[in-house]
Amino acid sequence: MGKTNQSSVTEFVLLGLSGYPELEAIYFVLVICMYLAILLGNGVIIIVSVCDSHLHTPMYFFLSNLSFLDICYTSSIPLFLSSFLTSKKTISFSGCGMQMFLSFAMGATECVLLSMMAFDRYVAICNPLRYPIIMSKTSYVSMAAGSWIAGSVNSVLQTSLAMRLPFCGDNVINHFTCEILAVLKLACADISINVVSMVVANMIFLIVPVLFIFVSYVFILSTILRIPSAEGRRKAFSTCSAHLTVVIIFYGTILFMYAKPKAKDSSGADKVQVTDKIISLFYGVVTPMLNPLIYSLRNKDVKAAVKNILCQKCSSAGM
């Protein structure tokens, strides 16, 4: 009988905002607009980084990787949007596993990638004469590839450990997506191995990169403060201000989402509250939308590259 119950879950129900139908229409419009902005903004960053030879530098190579990562991370949004248009809000067991894999892989990869970008800024500001040697093409391509490989390996481990658990009938996930903490609550087996593996992964992919970024910026700021002219200090800081802003938004949202105590209802069972879901939405949609804006808003190189590409297209059309 137990085995029958464990094998009966072939799909999950994503609860989302089902209990708040008045919010679903608002969020449908907001999310579809933000998703289009994600595709447009990050797509432009990738195109100009590839097409403009002036942007063939380590910083823009990392930035194009970050943009591609954000597009991949939000690839589940069409499924999320479709749930607003139908009363059937289900996802298959394998689809849930794939969604969980992408979420873990992209999140872990971004953590490592942001630390690699901090190292790039550290070398550029603290060791400018050695920058072409240290950040050679072989070096920065290997650093980016290592970020993707590390994130993917971690995701395979976490997803396989979660999806091998038995689920005894209860298949309602109180979330927008197959978020691993929400899925683990449905398991009818010991999840201590999952908890330990997630703690170790958080140490490797959250704590270590944060410490690395923090140390890098300590050296960066100490170097900037030693620059005699105010104009020189301003220019030096402007080269890393966008990255620092993205890091604060990315890690700040993660810490607020997972470090705060979880609320419990009167029955004593953990519930994901509406505020938690909104924060999760911010982390999953708003952050990828803001990244290209932050990096291009005050970036003269990106603006010039976009202008050159548009001029070339207009010239070609005129001919």
Side-chain angles (χ1 to χ4, degrees):
M1 187 71 176
K3 290 183 179 178
T4 302
N5 287 339
Q6 291 179 10
S7 61
S8 62
V9 176
T10 58
E11 62 182 17
F12 292 100
V13 177
L14 299 174
L15 198 57
L17 290 172
S18 299
Y20 305 88
E22 67 280 1
L23 293 178
E24 286 194 331
I26 298 174
Y27 274 99
F28 177 82
V29 175
L30 287 176
V31 172
I32 195 170
C33 291
M34 288 188 288
Y35 183 57
L36 293 175
I38 289 169
L39 295 179
L40 177 63
N42 289 288
V44 168
I45 293 291
I46 294 172
I47 291 172
V48 298
S49 297
V50 172
C51 296
D52 195 307
S53 59
H54 296 95
L55 302 184
H56 291 176
T57 63
M59 183 177 74
Y60 290 105
F61 179 77
F62 287 131
L63 181 56
S64 61
N65 272 262
L66 184 63
S67 294
F68 179 70
L69 185 150
D70 284 337
I71 292 175
C72 292
Y73 184 80
T74 56
S75 60
S76 62
I77 287 181
L79 176 64
F80 167 70
L81 290 172
S82 68
S83 69
F84 286 130
L85 303 176
T86 177
S87 58
K88 186 180 180 182
K89 303 178 186 296
T90 59
I91 184 172
S92 66
F93 191 85
S94 58
C96 184
M98 180 58 67
Q99 197 176 82
M100 192 182 298
F101 169 80
L102 282 174
S103 177
F104 256 111
M106 300 304 106
T109 300
E110 184 160 357
C111 289
V112 181
L113 194 61
L114 287 174
S115 66
M116 296 298 101
M117 295 173 76
F119 178 74
D120 172 70
R121 294 299 83 205
Y122 160 76
V123 177
I125 294 175
C126 300
N127 296 283
L129 298 179
R130 298 186 62 196
Y131 183 80
I133 300 173
I134 297 175
M135 297 302 296
S136 63
K137 185 174 183 178
T138 302
S139 298
Y140 67 75
V141 169
S142 300
M143 290 163 67
S147 301
W148 284 94
I149 293 172
S152 298
V153 170
N154 174 64
S155 184
V156 169
L157 175 63
Q158 302 299 334
T159 303
S160 60
L161 285 176
M163 301 310 287
R164 61 182 278 276
L165 292 169
F167 299 94
C168 307
D170 188 5
N171 66 338
V172 179
I173 300 175
N174 194 4
H175 213 278
F176 291 118
T177 62
C178 286
E179 200 264 345
I180 189 167
L181 296 180
V183 173
L184 290 179
K185 291 178 183 179
L186 306 181
C188 54
D190 182 26
I191 61 170
S192 57
I193 295 178
N194 302 76
V195 173
V196 171
S197 66
M198 287 181 65
V199 169
V200 173
N202 287 340
M203 291 292 293
I204 296 173
F205 291 97
L206 286 176
I207 307 301
V208 173
V210 165
L211 291 175
F212 186 86
I213 293 170
F214 176 77
V215 172
S216 297
Y217 272 99
V218 167
F219 285 106
I220 289 172
L221 290 175
S222 64
T223 301
I224 291 176
L225 292 176
R226 289 198 300 267
I227 298 176
S229 66
E231 181 66 17
R233 289 194 297 270
R234 187 191 65 79
K235 287 184 178 179
F237 185 76
S238 66
T239 63
C240 57
S241 59
H243 173 259
L244 187 58
T245 303
V246 169
V247 167
I248 292 172
I249 293 174
F250 179 76
Y251 283 106
T253 309
I254 291 178
L255 291 174
F256 186 79
M257 186 165 55
Y258 289 109
K260 72 183 185 67
K262 297 294 180 181
K264 295 186 177 182
D265 64 8
S266 57
S267 64
D270 284 336
K271 297 282 187 177
V272 180
Q273 302 299 321
V274 176
T275 53
D276 296 323
K277 295 177 182 180
I278 293 174
I279 295 168
S280 176
L281 180 68
F282 180 85
Y283 171 69
V285 180
V286 178
T287 302
M289 182 187 69
L290 290 178
N291 285 349
L293 292 176
I294 292 170
Y295 274 103
S296 61
L297 197 60
R298 297 177 60 187
N299 193 311
K300 295 180 180 179
D301 294 333
V302 173
K303 291 179 180 178
V306 172
K307 185 177 180 180
N308 289 336
I309 291 175
L310 291 176
C311 290
Q312 291 175 6
K313 293 293 183 181
C314 291
S315 299
S316 300
M319 293 176 64

